[in-house]
mmCIF file of all heavy atoms in Angstrom:
data_model
loop_
_atom_site.group_PDB
_atom_site.id
_atom_site.type_symbol
_atom_site.label_atom_id
_atom_site.label_comp_id
_atom_site.label_asym_id
_atom_site.label_seq_id
_atom_site.Cartn_x
_atom_site.Cartn_y
_atom_site.Cartn_z
ATOM 1 N N ARG Z 1 11.838 -2.783 4.387
ATOM 2 C CA ARG Z 1 11.778 -1.564 5.216
ATOM 3 C C ARG Z 1 10.345 -1.188 5.572
ATOM 4 O O ARG Z 1 10.092 -0.664 6.658
ATOM 5 C CB ARG Z 1 12.426 -0.387 4.476
ATOM 6 C CG ARG Z 1 13.881 -0.588 4.134
ATOM 7 C CD ARG Z 1 14.510 0.682 3.575
ATOM 8 N NE ARG Z 1 13.884 1.133 2.341
ATOM 9 C CZ ARG Z 1 13.341 2.346 2.174
ATOM 10 N NH1 ARG Z 1 13.358 3.221 3.151
ATOM 11 N NH2 ARG Z 1 12.807 2.682 1.004
ATOM 12 N N PHE Z 2 9.410 -1.416 4.653
ATOM 13 C CA PHE Z 2 8.008 -1.064 4.853
ATOM 14 C C PHE Z 2 7.177 -2.326 5.065
ATOM 15 O O PHE Z 2 7.467 -3.378 4.486
ATOM 16 C CB PHE Z 2 7.456 -0.322 3.637
ATOM 17 C CG PHE Z 2 8.016 1.062 3.401
ATOM 18 C CD1 PHE Z 2 9.112 1.548 4.110
ATOM 19 C CD2 PHE Z 2 7.425 1.889 2.459
ATOM 20 C CE1 PHE Z 2 9.605 2.810 3.886
ATOM 21 C CE2 PHE Z 2 7.915 3.172 2.212
ATOM 22 C CZ PHE Z 2 9.011 3.630 2.929
ATOM 23 N N THR Z 3 6.121 -2.184 5.869
ATOM 24 C CA THR Z 3 5.194 -3.291 6.100
ATOM 25 C C THR Z 3 3.767 -2.786 5.995
ATOM 26 O O THR Z 3 3.398 -1.825 6.683
ATOM 27 C CB THR Z 3 5.411 -3.919 7.481
ATOM 28 O OG1 THR Z 3 6.760 -4.371 7.601
ATOM 29 C CG2 THR Z 3 4.469 -5.102 7.677
ATOM 30 N N ILE Z 4 2.974 -3.426 5.152
ATOM 31 C CA ILE Z 4 1.563 -3.094 5.033
ATOM 32 C C ILE Z 4 0.761 -4.089 5.858
ATOM 33 O O ILE Z 4 1.088 -5.285 5.908
ATOM 34 C CB ILE Z 4 1.108 -3.093 3.557
ATOM 35 C CG1 ILE Z 4 -0.313 -2.542 3.422
ATOM 36 C CG2 ILE Z 4 1.241 -4.475 2.925
ATOM 37 C CD1 ILE Z 4 -0.740 -2.304 1.976
ATOM 38 N N SER Z 5 -0.285 -3.587 6.508
ATOM 39 C CA SER Z 5 -1.166 -4.463 7.287
ATOM 40 C C SER Z 5 -2.554 -3.853 7.278
ATOM 41 O O SER Z 5 -2.740 -2.716 6.851
ATOM 42 C CB SER Z 5 -0.652 -4.624 8.718
ATOM 43 O OG SER Z 5 -0.616 -3.375 9.386
ATOM 44 N N ARG Z 6 -3.525 -4.615 7.744
ATOM 45 C CA ARG Z 6 -4.896 -4.097 7.785
ATOM 46 C C ARG Z 6 -5.623 -4.684 8.984
ATOM 47 O O ARG Z 6 -5.315 -5.788 9.450
ATOM 48 C CB ARG Z 6 -5.637 -4.422 6.494
ATOM 49 C CG ARG Z 6 -5.898 -5.887 6.242
ATOM 50 C CD ARG Z 6 -6.423 -6.122 4.820
ATOM 51 N NE ARG Z 6 -7.705 -5.472 4.585
ATOM 52 C CZ ARG Z 6 -8.208 -5.232 3.373
ATOM 53 N NH1 ARG Z 6 -7.509 -5.560 2.297
ATOM 54 N NH2 ARG Z 6 -9.372 -4.650 3.242
ATOM 55 N N ASP Z 7 -6.614 -3.930 9.434
ATOM 56 C CA ASP Z 7 -7.498 -4.370 10.502
ATOM 57 C C ASP Z 7 -8.912 -4.186 9.977
ATOM 58 O O ASP Z 7 -9.443 -3.065 9.972
ATOM 59 C CB ASP Z 7 -7.268 -3.546 11.767
ATOM 60 C CG ASP Z 7 -8.077 -4.038 12.949
ATOM 61 O OD1 ASP Z 7 -9.100 -4.715 12.742
ATOM 62 O OD2 ASP Z 7 -7.701 -3.736 14.086
ATOM 63 N N ASN Z 8 -9.515 -5.263 9.508
ATOM 64 C CA ASN Z 8 -10.838 -5.152 8.890
ATOM 65 C C ASN Z 8 -11.914 -4.777 9.910
ATOM 66 O O ASN Z 8 -12.927 -4.182 9.540
ATOM 67 C CB ASN Z 8 -11.200 -6.445 8.181
ATOM 68 C CG ASN Z 8 -10.414 -6.632 6.888
ATOM 69 O OD1 ASN Z 8 -9.852 -5.679 6.344
ATOM 70 N ND2 ASN Z 8 -10.357 -7.859 6.399
ATOM 71 N N ALA Z 9 -11.694 -5.087 11.160
ATOM 72 C CA ALA Z 9 -12.663 -4.704 12.187
ATOM 73 C C ALA Z 9 -12.683 -3.190 12.382
ATOM 74 O O ALA Z 9 -13.704 -2.630 12.799
ATOM 75 C CB ALA Z 9 -12.326 -5.393 13.500
ATOM 76 N N LYS Z 10 -11.559 -2.546 12.077
ATOM 77 C CA LYS Z 10 -11.465 -1.091 12.223
ATOM 78 C C LYS Z 10 -11.521 -0.370 10.880
ATOM 79 O O LYS Z 10 -11.353 0.855 10.834
ATOM 80 C CB LYS Z 10 -10.164 -0.725 12.938
ATOM 81 C CG LYS Z 10 -10.096 -1.219 14.371
ATOM 82 C CD LYS Z 10 -8.798 -0.779 15.034
ATOM 83 C CE LYS Z 10 -8.752 -1.237 16.489
ATOM 84 N NZ LYS Z 10 -7.490 -0.813 17.158
ATOM 85 N N ASN Z 11 -11.713 -1.126 9.796
ATOM 86 C CA ASN Z 11 -11.742 -0.516 8.453
ATOM 87 C C ASN Z 11 -10.509 0.340 8.198
ATOM 88 O O ASN Z 11 -10.607 1.458 7.664
ATOM 89 C CB ASN Z 11 -13.008 0.332 8.253
ATOM 90 C CG ASN Z 11 -14.223 -0.501 7.895
ATOM 91 O OD1 ASN Z 11 -14.207 -1.721 8.042
ATOM 92 N ND2 ASN Z 11 -15.279 0.146 7.454
ATOM 93 N N THR Z 12 -9.355 -0.178 8.568
ATOM 94 C CA THR Z 12 -8.130 0.615 8.473
ATOM 95 C C THR Z 12 -7.002 -0.221 7.890
ATOM 96 O O THR Z 12 -6.853 -1.409 8.221
ATOM 97 C CB THR Z 12 -7.719 1.151 9.854
ATOM 98 O OG1 THR Z 12 -8.793 1.943 10.390
ATOM 99 C CG2 THR Z 12 -6.485 2.023 9.758
ATOM 100 N N VAL Z 13 -6.211 0.412 7.040
ATOM 101 C CA VAL Z 13 -4.995 -0.193 6.518
ATOM 102 C C VAL Z 13 -3.816 0.679 6.961
ATOM 103 O O VAL Z 13 -3.956 1.905 7.079
ATOM 104 C CB VAL Z 13 -5.053 -0.351 4.990
ATOM 105 C CG1 VAL Z 13 -5.158 0.999 4.291
ATOM 106 C CG2 VAL Z 13 -3.864 -1.130 4.468
ATOM 107 N N TYR Z 14 -2.691 0.044 7.227
ATOM 108 C CA TYR Z 14 -1.519 0.726 7.760
ATOM 109 C C TYR Z 14 -0.317 0.530 6.840
ATOM 110 O O TYR Z 14 -0.222 -0.468 6.123
ATOM 111 C CB TYR Z 14 -1.176 0.189 9.145
ATOM 112 C CG TYR Z 14 -2.309 0.242 10.128
ATOM 113 C CD1 TYR Z 14 -3.108 -0.881 10.366
ATOM 114 C CD2 TYR Z 14 -2.587 1.415 10.835
ATOM 115 C CE1 TYR Z 14 -4.156 -0.836 11.264
ATOM 116 C CE2 TYR Z 14 -3.642 1.465 11.744
ATOM 117 C CZ TYR Z 14 -4.422 0.339 11.953
ATOM 118 O OH TYR Z 14 -5.449 0.386 12.846
ATOM 119 N N LEU Z 15 0.601 1.470 6.936
ATOM 120 C CA LEU Z 15 1.894 1.307 6.289
ATOM 121 C C LEU Z 15 2.963 1.713 7.302
ATOM 122 O O LEU Z 15 3.110 2.898 7.604
ATOM 123 C CB LEU Z 15 2.003 2.163 5.030
ATOM 124 C CG LEU Z 15 3.301 1.957 4.229
ATOM 125 C CD1 LEU Z 15 3.319 0.552 3.613
ATOM 126 C CD2 LEU Z 15 3.446 3.007 3.135
ATOM 127 N N GLN Z 16 3.651 0.721 7.846
ATOM 128 C CA GLN Z 16 4.754 0.975 8.766
ATOM 129 C C GLN Z 16 6.016 1.185 7.932
ATOM 130 O O GLN Z 16 6.405 0.298 7.167
ATOM 131 C CB GLN Z 16 4.931 -0.203 9.719
ATOM 132 C CG GLN Z 16 6.099 -0.045 10.671
ATOM 133 C CD GLN Z 16 5.915 1.078 11.664
ATOM 134 O OE1 GLN Z 16 4.846 1.240 12.242
ATOM 135 N NE2 GLN Z 16 6.948 1.876 11.879
ATOM 136 N N MET Z 17 6.630 2.344 8.099
ATOM 137 C CA MET Z 17 7.805 2.686 7.297
ATOM 138 C C MET Z 17 9.013 2.850 8.237
ATOM 139 O O MET Z 17 9.014 3.738 9.091
ATOM 140 C CB MET Z 17 7.555 3.981 6.526
ATOM 141 C CG MET Z 17 6.297 3.924 5.653
ATOM 142 S SD MET Z 17 6.090 5.387 4.617
ATOM 143 C CE MET Z 17 5.866 6.648 5.857
ATOM 144 N N ASN Z 18 9.985 1.999 8.071
ATOM 145 C CA ASN Z 18 11.212 2.042 8.862
ATOM 146 C C ASN Z 18 12.403 2.359 7.972
ATOM 147 O O ASN Z 18 12.325 2.243 6.750
ATOM 148 C CB ASN Z 18 11.436 0.700 9.565
ATOM 149 C CG ASN Z 18 10.318 0.339 10.518
ATOM 150 O OD1 ASN Z 18 9.697 1.215 11.121
ATOM 151 N ND2 ASN Z 18 10.069 -0.952 10.671
ATOM 152 N N SER Z 19 13.498 2.751 8.604
ATOM 153 C CA SER Z 19 14.739 3.059 7.881
ATOM 154 C C SER Z 19 14.468 4.006 6.709
ATOM 155 O O SER Z 19 14.911 3.772 5.577
ATOM 156 C CB SER Z 19 15.383 1.766 7.370
ATOM 157 O OG SER Z 19 15.666 0.891 8.436
ATOM 158 N N LEU Z 20 13.752 5.057 6.993
ATOM 159 C CA LEU Z 20 13.352 5.985 5.927
ATOM 160 C C LEU Z 20 14.556 6.688 5.328
ATOM 161 O O LEU Z 20 15.545 6.984 6.022
ATOM 162 C CB LEU Z 20 12.349 6.997 6.463
ATOM 163 C CG LEU Z 20 10.925 6.435 6.609
ATOM 164 C CD1 LEU Z 20 10.104 7.289 7.553
ATOM 165 C CD2 LEU Z 20 10.265 6.347 5.244
ATOM 166 N N ARG Z 21 14.418 6.967 4.039
ATOM 167 C CA ARG Z 21 15.481 7.625 3.268
ATOM 168 C C ARG Z 21 14.940 8.902 2.642
ATOM 169 O O ARG Z 21 13.730 9.003 2.410
ATOM 170 C CB ARG Z 21 15.955 6.685 2.158
ATOM 171 C CG ARG Z 21 16.404 5.316 2.631
ATOM 172 C CD ARG Z 21 16.546 4.350 1.471
ATOM 173 N NE ARG Z 21 16.994 3.026 1.890
ATOM 174 C CZ ARG Z 21 16.968 1.953 1.115
ATOM 175 N NH1 ARG Z 21 16.546 2.056 -0.146
ATOM 176 N NH2 ARG Z 21 17.391 0.783 1.583
ATOM 177 N N PRO Z 22 15.805 9.840 2.321
ATOM 178 C CA PRO Z 22 15.304 11.062 1.656
ATOM 179 C C PRO Z 22 14.518 10.763 0.385
ATOM 180 O O PRO Z 22 13.550 11.480 0.078
ATOM 181 C CB PRO Z 22 16.603 11.823 1.367
ATOM 182 C CG PRO Z 22 17.537 11.397 2.451
ATOM 183 C CD PRO Z 22 17.228 9.944 2.690
ATOM 184 N N GLU Z 23 14.879 9.724 -0.327
ATOM 185 C CA GLU Z 23 14.165 9.389 -1.564
ATOM 186 C C GLU Z 23 12.766 8.834 -1.320
ATOM 187 O O GLU Z 23 12.006 8.626 -2.268
ATOM 188 C CB GLU Z 23 14.978 8.409 -2.423
ATOM 189 C CG GLU Z 23 15.398 7.142 -1.717
ATOM 190 C CD GLU Z 23 16.818 7.223 -1.160
ATOM 191 O OE1 GLU Z 23 17.211 8.315 -0.682
ATOM 192 O OE2 GLU Z 23 17.522 6.192 -1.201
ATOM 193 N N ASP Z 24 12.400 8.591 -0.065
ATOM 194 C CA ASP Z 24 11.038 8.193 0.258
ATOM 195 C C ASP Z 24 10.107 9.399 0.376
ATOM 196 O O ASP Z 24 8.888 9.224 0.539
ATOM 197 C CB ASP Z 24 11.010 7.417 1.586
ATOM 198 C CG ASP Z 24 11.737 6.093 1.513
ATOM 199 O OD1 ASP Z 24 11.588 5.380 0.498
ATOM 200 O OD2 ASP Z 24 12.450 5.758 2.481
ATOM 201 N N THR Z 25 10.650 10.591 0.302
ATOM 202 C CA THR Z 25 9.845 11.802 0.386
ATOM 203 C C THR Z 25 8.847 11.859 -0.756
ATOM 204 O O THR Z 25 9.215 11.740 -1.926
ATOM 205 C CB THR Z 25 10.749 13.048 0.351
ATOM 206 O OG1 THR Z 25 11.571 13.063 1.526
ATOM 207 C CG2 THR Z 25 9.921 14.318 0.286
ATOM 208 N N ALA Z 26 7.563 12.009 -0.405
ATOM 209 C CA ALA Z 26 6.495 12.017 -1.402
ATOM 210 C C ALA Z 26 5.164 12.238 -0.695
ATOM 211 O O ALA Z 26 5.088 12.192 0.542
ATOM 212 C CB ALA Z 26 6.447 10.691 -2.163
ATOM 213 N N VAL Z 27 4.133 12.440 -1.485
ATOM 214 C CA VAL Z 27 2.770 12.348 -0.968
ATOM 215 C C VAL Z 27 2.356 10.887 -1.095
ATOM 216 O O VAL Z 27 2.485 10.290 -2.168
ATOM 217 C CB VAL Z 27 1.808 13.256 -1.752
ATOM 218 C CG1 VAL Z 27 0.382 13.072 -1.231
ATOM 219 C CG2 VAL Z 27 2.237 14.712 -1.639
ATOM 220 N N TYR Z 28 1.872 10.329 0.005
ATOM 221 C CA TYR Z 28 1.474 8.927 0.038
ATOM 222 C C TYR Z 28 -0.049 8.829 -0.018
ATOM 223 O O TYR Z 28 -0.747 9.513 0.742
ATOM 224 C CB TYR Z 28 2.000 8.257 1.296
ATOM 225 C CG TYR Z 28 3.470 7.924 1.198
ATOM 226 C CD1 TYR Z 28 4.429 8.927 1.224
ATOM 227 C CD2 TYR Z 28 3.906 6.611 1.057
ATOM 228 C CE1 TYR Z 28 5.776 8.634 1.098
ATOM 229 C CE2 TYR Z 28 5.252 6.299 0.951
ATOM 230 C CZ TYR Z 28 6.180 7.327 0.968
ATOM 231 O OH TYR Z 28 7.520 7.027 0.851
ATOM 232 N N TYR Z 29 -0.516 7.964 -0.910
ATOM 233 C CA TYR Z 29 -1.944 7.771 -1.122
ATOM 234 C C TYR Z 29 -2.329 6.328 -0.822
ATOM 235 O O TYR Z 29 -1.600 5.402 -1.196
ATOM 236 C CB TYR Z 29 -2.318 8.065 -2.565
ATOM 237 C CG TYR Z 29 -2.039 9.467 -3.040
ATOM 238 C CD1 TYR Z 29 -0.817 9.800 -3.600
ATOM 239 C CD2 TYR Z 29 -3.018 10.455 -2.941
ATOM 240 C CE1 TYR Z 29 -0.556 11.089 -4.043
ATOM 241 C CE2 TYR Z 29 -2.769 11.749 -3.392
ATOM 242 C CZ TYR Z 29 -1.540 12.056 -3.938
ATOM 243 O OH TYR Z 29 -1.297 13.332 -4.383
ATOM 244 N N CYS Z 30 -3.475 6.148 -0.202
ATOM 245 C CA CYS Z 30 -4.009 4.790 -0.145
ATOM 246 C C CYS Z 30 -5.120 4.665 -1.182
ATOM 247 O O CYS Z 30 -5.726 5.660 -1.598
ATOM 248 C CB CYS Z 30 -4.500 4.414 1.250
ATOM 249 S SG CYS Z 30 -6.041 5.155 1.772
ATOM 250 N N ALA Z 31 -5.354 3.445 -1.598
ATOM 251 C CA ALA Z 31 -6.315 3.176 -2.662
ATOM 252 C C ALA Z 31 -6.999 1.841 -2.408
ATOM 253 O O ALA Z 31 -6.419 0.945 -1.776
ATOM 254 C CB ALA Z 31 -5.612 3.166 -4.017
ATOM 255 N N ALA Z 32 -8.216 1.718 -2.915
ATOM 256 C CA ALA Z 32 -9.006 0.496 -2.745
ATOM 257 C C ALA Z 32 -9.375 -0.076 -4.100
ATOM 258 O O ALA Z 32 -9.755 0.669 -5.019
ATOM 259 C CB ALA Z 32 -10.275 0.797 -1.944
ATOM 260 N N ARG Z 33 -9.280 -1.397 -4.195
ATOM 261 C CA ARG Z 33 -9.543 -2.103 -5.440
ATOM 262 C C ARG Z 33 -10.574 -3.190 -5.184
ATOM 263 O O ARG Z 33 -10.379 -4.041 -4.314
ATOM 264 C CB ARG Z 33 -8.249 -2.710 -5.962
ATOM 265 C CG ARG Z 33 -8.368 -3.477 -7.260
ATOM 266 C CD ARG Z 33 -6.992 -3.930 -7.727
ATOM 267 N NE ARG Z 33 -7.064 -4.581 -9.019
ATOM 268 C CZ ARG Z 33 -7.278 -5.884 -9.183
ATOM 269 N NH1 ARG Z 33 -7.417 -6.668 -8.131
ATOM 270 N NH2 ARG Z 33 -7.344 -6.400 -10.390
ATOM 271 N N SER Z 34 -11.672 -3.168 -5.951
ATOM 272 C CA SER Z 34 -12.776 -4.079 -5.673
ATOM 273 C C SER Z 34 -12.599 -5.458 -6.288
ATOM 274 O O SER Z 34 -13.205 -6.421 -5.840
ATOM 275 C CB SER Z 34 -14.091 -3.466 -6.158
ATOM 276 O OG SER Z 34 -14.026 -3.244 -7.555
ATOM 277 N N ARG Z 35 -11.788 -5.591 -7.312
ATOM 278 C CA ARG Z 35 -11.663 -6.888 -7.965
ATOM 279 C C ARG Z 35 -10.845 -7.857 -7.115
ATOM 280 O O ARG Z 35 -9.966 -7.448 -6.378
ATOM 281 C CB ARG Z 35 -11.033 -6.721 -9.345
ATOM 282 C CG ARG Z 35 -12.049 -6.269 -10.383
ATOM 283 C CD ARG Z 35 -11.436 -5.375 -11.413
ATOM 284 N NE ARG Z 35 -11.183 -4.053 -10.876
ATOM 285 C CZ ARG Z 35 -10.711 -3.038 -11.584
ATOM 286 N NH1 ARG Z 35 -10.430 -3.227 -12.855
ATOM 287 N NH2 ARG Z 35 -10.504 -1.862 -11.038
ATOM 288 N N LEU Z 36 -11.149 -9.151 -7.244
ATOM 289 C CA LEU Z 36 -10.596 -10.135 -6.319
ATOM 290 C C LEU Z 36 -9.221 -10.659 -6.713
ATOM 291 O O LEU Z 36 -8.537 -11.260 -5.898
ATOM 292 C CB LEU Z 36 -11.555 -11.317 -6.179
ATOM 293 C CG LEU Z 36 -12.922 -10.976 -5.588
ATOM 294 C CD1 LEU Z 36 -13.796 -12.231 -5.539
ATOM 295 C CD2 LEU Z 36 -12.758 -10.390 -4.189
ATOM 296 N N THR Z 37 -8.814 -10.454 -7.944
ATOM 297 C CA THR Z 37 -7.506 -10.962 -8.361
ATOM 298 C C THR Z 37 -6.406 -10.222 -7.619
ATOM 299 O O THR Z 37 -6.515 -9.024 -7.338
ATOM 300 C CB THR Z 37 -7.302 -10.794 -9.869
ATOM 301 O OG1 THR Z 37 -7.506 -9.428 -10.216
ATOM 302 C CG2 THR Z 37 -8.265 -11.665 -10.648
ATOM 303 N N PHE Z 38 -5.338 -10.955 -7.279
ATOM 304 C CA PHE Z 38 -4.229 -10.353 -6.545
ATOM 305 C C PHE Z 38 -2.935 -10.864 -7.149
ATOM 306 O O PHE Z 38 -2.504 -11.991 -6.857
ATOM 307 C CB PHE Z 38 -4.319 -10.698 -5.060
ATOM 308 C CG PHE Z 38 -3.362 -9.920 -4.200
ATOM 309 C CD1 PHE Z 38 -3.671 -8.637 -3.776
ATOM 310 C CD2 PHE Z 38 -2.141 -10.473 -3.797
ATOM 311 C CE1 PHE Z 38 -2.793 -7.918 -2.975
ATOM 312 C CE2 PHE Z 38 -1.269 -9.761 -3.001
ATOM 313 C CZ PHE Z 38 -1.593 -8.483 -2.585
ATOM 314 N N SER Z 39 -2.326 -10.048 -7.969
ATOM 315 C CA SER Z 39 -1.047 -10.399 -8.564
ATOM 316 C C SER Z 39 -0.276 -9.109 -8.794
ATOM 317 O O SER Z 39 -0.865 -8.034 -8.887
ATOM 318 C CB SER Z 39 -1.232 -11.139 -9.886
ATOM 319 O OG SER Z 39 -1.740 -10.265 -10.880
ATOM 320 N N SER Z 40 1.027 -9.210 -8.908
ATOM 321 C CA SER Z 40 1.835 -8.012 -9.089
ATOM 322 C C SER Z 40 1.481 -7.285 -10.378
ATOM 323 O O SER Z 40 1.695 -6.079 -10.490
ATOM 324 C CB SER Z 40 3.318 -8.369 -9.088
ATOM 325 O OG SER Z 40 3.611 -9.303 -10.111
ATOM 326 N N ALA Z 41 0.919 -7.996 -11.334
ATOM 327 C CA ALA Z 41 0.526 -7.367 -12.597
ATOM 328 C C ALA Z 41 -0.690 -6.474 -12.428
ATOM 329 O O ALA Z 41 -0.954 -5.619 -13.269
ATOM 330 C CB ALA Z 41 0.246 -8.438 -13.651
ATOM 331 N N THR Z 42 -1.441 -6.693 -11.351
ATOM 332 C CA THR Z 42 -2.661 -5.898 -11.142
ATOM 333 C C THR Z 42 -2.519 -4.949 -9.966
ATOM 334 O O THR Z 42 -2.772 -3.752 -10.099
ATOM 335 C CB THR Z 42 -3.864 -6.824 -10.915
ATOM 336 O OG1 THR Z 42 -3.580 -7.724 -9.832
ATOM 337 C CG2 THR Z 42 -4.180 -7.630 -12.169
ATOM 338 N N TYR Z 43 -2.081 -5.422 -8.802
ATOM 339 C CA TYR Z 43 -2.104 -4.548 -7.622
ATOM 340 C C TYR Z 43 -1.078 -3.421 -7.697
ATOM 341 O O TYR Z 43 -1.147 -2.473 -6.922
ATOM 342 C CB TYR Z 43 -1.959 -5.335 -6.324
ATOM 343 C CG TYR Z 43 -0.676 -6.106 -6.105
ATOM 344 C CD1 TYR Z 43 0.570 -5.479 -6.061
ATOM 345 C CD2 TYR Z 43 -0.700 -7.480 -5.890
ATOM 346 C CE1 TYR Z 43 1.723 -6.187 -5.829
ATOM 347 C CE2 TYR Z 43 0.449 -8.204 -5.660
ATOM 348 C CZ TYR Z 43 1.663 -7.548 -5.630
ATOM 349 O OH TYR Z 43 2.810 -8.253 -5.401
ATOM 350 N N SER Z 44 -0.117 -3.504 -8.599
ATOM 351 C CA SER Z 44 0.899 -2.463 -8.697
ATOM 352 C C SER Z 44 0.515 -1.328 -9.657
ATOM 353 O O SER Z 44 1.261 -0.352 -9.788
ATOM 354 C CB SER Z 44 2.231 -3.069 -9.139
ATOM 355 O OG SER Z 44 2.115 -3.603 -10.443
ATOM 356 N N ARG Z 45 -0.598 -1.458 -10.328
ATOM 357 C CA ARG Z 45 -0.993 -0.473 -11.337
ATOM 358 C C ARG Z 45 -2.052 0.477 -10.787
ATOM 359 O O ARG Z 45 -3.125 0.029 -10.372
ATOM 360 C CB ARG Z 45 -1.529 -1.173 -12.578
ATOM 361 C CG ARG Z 45 -0.524 -2.123 -13.239
ATOM 362 C CD ARG Z 45 -1.177 -2.882 -14.360
ATOM 363 N NE ARG Z 45 -1.553 -2.008 -15.447
ATOM 364 C CZ ARG Z 45 -2.561 -2.261 -16.278
ATOM 365 N NH1 ARG Z 45 -3.274 -3.365 -16.132
ATOM 366 N NH2 ARG Z 45 -2.839 -1.425 -17.258
ATOM 367 N N PRO Z 46 -1.803 1.784 -10.784
ATOM 368 C CA PRO Z 46 -2.792 2.732 -10.238
ATOM 369 C C PRO Z 46 -4.164 2.615 -10.917
ATOM 370 O O PRO Z 46 -5.187 2.781 -10.248
ATOM 371 C CB PRO Z 46 -2.157 4.098 -10.512
ATOM 372 C CG PRO Z 46 -0.699 3.836 -10.617
ATOM 373 C CD PRO Z 46 -0.571 2.469 -11.209
ATOM 374 N N GLN Z 47 -4.183 2.325 -12.192
ATOM 375 C CA GLN Z 47 -5.456 2.282 -12.915
ATOM 376 C C GLN Z 47 -6.323 1.098 -12.503
ATOM 377 O O GLN Z 47 -7.491 1.026 -12.879
ATOM 378 C CB GLN Z 47 -5.226 2.281 -14.425
ATOM 379 C CG GLN Z 47 -4.334 1.177 -14.932
ATOM 380 C CD GLN Z 47 -2.877 1.617 -15.056
ATOM 381 O OE1 GLN Z 47 -2.316 2.207 -14.138
ATOM 382 N NE2 GLN Z 47 -2.267 1.309 -16.187
ATOM 383 N N GLU Z 48 -5.776 0.168 -11.733
ATOM 384 C CA GLU Z 48 -6.546 -0.977 -11.245
ATOM 385 C C GLU Z 48 -7.379 -0.643 -10.014
ATOM 386 O O GLU Z 48 -8.189 -1.456 -9.584
ATOM 387 C CB GLU Z 48 -5.604 -2.136 -10.908
ATOM 388 C CG GLU Z 48 -4.945 -2.772 -12.132
ATOM 389 C CD GLU Z 48 -5.905 -3.653 -12.911
ATOM 390 O OE1 GLU Z 48 -6.871 -4.171 -12.321
ATOM 391 O OE2 GLU Z 48 -5.684 -3.821 -14.132
#
């Protein structure tokens, strides 16, 4: 339902959200992580 993308030339990241549901209601935050590793064990944790 959701698609994340980025445009490094514009320094912007996007989140396209389709087929939204009431349970998607929330405050949405973007975050940046400087470390180069990319795995579900790391990118899914806020403290990373």
Side-chain angles (χ1 to χ4, degrees):
R1 299 188 299 123
F2 292 10
T3 302
I4 188 171
S5 61
R6 66 190 297 162
D7 185 338
N8 287 342
K10 295 182 178 180
N11 279 14
T12 302
V13 63
Y14 305 97
L15 185 68
Q16 177 66 44
M17 305 186 296
N18 299 328
S19 301
L20 282 161
R21 305 167 179 168
E23 55 264 37
D24 294 318
T25 295
V27 177
Y28 282 71
Y29 299 89
C30 74
R33 180 175 184 271
S34 61
R35 280 147 286 184
L36 297 178
T37 55
F38 190 82
S39 69
S40 58
T42 55
Y43 63 61
S44 64
R45 301 174 66 207
Q47 56 266 48
E48 291 285 334

